[in-house]
Amino acid sequence: MKKLNKLQINPEKLMNNEELLALKGGYDACTCLCWRGTTILGYLVSGTGDCPSDCAYAFGEGATGSCQC
């Protein structure tokens, strides 16, 4: 274990590349642009590719979106 001042890094707790990609949304994830009416609500990563329902889940009823895979 390395010690950097007061911060200790435990190599057993480090995430490998596959775990980081799964956390991000994986290899096959799509980016969704979500909006309600003419207001852009934001972007999200969709693992399913079903942007309209993912945007409605994330931003509430009335939100829709389109995939940018």
Side-chain angles (χ1 to χ4, degrees):
M1 184 179 317
K2 294 181 182 179
K3 187 173 181 180
L4 304 172
N5 295 333
K6 294 182 180 182
L7 177 68
Q8 294 182 355
I9 298 172
N10 186 347
E12 295 173 3
K13 300 284 184 174
L14 292 176
M15 297 178 81
N16 64 30
N17 193 40
E18 293 298 318
E19 292 170 321
L20 289 170
L21 282 170
L23 181 64
K24 177 186 171 206
Y27 289 108
D28 297 329
C30 293
T31 302
C32 301
L33 172 62
C34 302
W35 68 86
R36 183 180 294 117
T38 59
T39 305
I40 294 176
L41 302 171
Y43 288 89
L44 59 87
V45 176
S46 171
T48 63
D50 186 11
C51 288
S53 66
D54 289 346
C55 288
Y57 177 79
F59 293 104
E61 190 175 331
T64 188
S66 63
C67 264
Q68 300 170 353
C69 299

